Amino acid sequence: MGPWLGIILAALCFECRGEDKVIQPSGDVVAAEGDTVTLDCTFQSSTNSPYIFWYKQDGTSGPKFILSCNPFSPVKKENEFMERFSSTLNSTTKSAPLKIQKLQLSDSAVYYCALRPTVARTSRTVHKNLHAHDTLNSSH
């Protein structure tokens, strides 16, 4: 069995109204190299067409876009995350968990789940709701 990994999960809300929010469980997610993990992300939204975004931040740079999903369009992913990262937005359960397969040490990071309702606004303010964190840390 390979080294242990840990994941931090954080919540963000882009251009959200008071009733819109991302809800995530607290605590670390720990897994072994090669395992599959699923990071939970549930949300409340005032629109029937929200967008969920997943980002990865490894401590050496700002958050890096992984993917976005919405109930009416295909998932959009960055090339480096095509093979092992996936998510599907479920409108019924209001969730969009991120699944990471074949974990690698390079997956140790903070993972952000973000919500953006489909509302036209000029502001790009990011409101951080850091109620929950799941950290993916490597240890030997």
Side-chain angles (χ1 to χ4, degrees):
M1 185 184 312
W4 290 98
L5 306 173
I7 291 180
I8 293 181
L9 192 61
L12 294 175
C13 199
F14 294 116
E15 301 179 8
C16 289
R17 293 182 228 135
E19 64 271 20
D20 295 327
K21 65 181 176 178
V22 175
I23 305 148
Q24 297 176 310
S26 61
D28 291 356
V29 175
V30 179
E33 192 171 12
D35 284 356
T36 296
V37 296
T38 301
L39 306 177
D40 291 327
C41 174
T42 58
F43 60 91
Q44 293 176 1
S45 179
S46 55
T47 178
N48 64 353
S49 183
Y51 277 81
I52 293 291
F53 297 84
W54 279 98
Y55 295 91
K56 174 185 177 182
Q57 187 170 13
D58 63 12
T60 61
S61 61
K64 183 183 281 191
F65 173 76
I66 298 171
L67 60 81
S68 66
C69 50
N70 141 313
F72 304 109
S73 60
V75 172
K76 295 178 183 168
K77 287 190 222 180
E78 281 297 309
N79 287 337
E80 71 181 277
F81 300 108
M82 283 290 187
E83 291 183 27
R84 299 183 304 110
F85 292 72
S86 61
S87 184
T88 303
L89 192 146
N90 183 321
S91 297
T92 305
T93 61
K94 295 191 183 260
S95 65
L98 178 68
K99 183 176 181 180
I100 308 172
Q101 299 179 66
K102 299 176 186 172
L103 282 174
Q104 301 172 2
L105 284 176
S106 60
D107 295 330
S108 294
V110 177
Y111 289 83
Y112 295 92
C113 175
L115 168 67
R116 187 200 69 177
T118 52
V119 175
R121 301 225 179 160
T122 56
S123 170
R124 281 295 183 185
T125 305
V126 175
H127 303 280
K128 293 185 180 180
N129 298 321
L130 300 177
H131 337 293
H133 288 257
D134 289 327
T135 307
L136 181 56
N137 293 318
S138 61
S139 61
H140 302 281

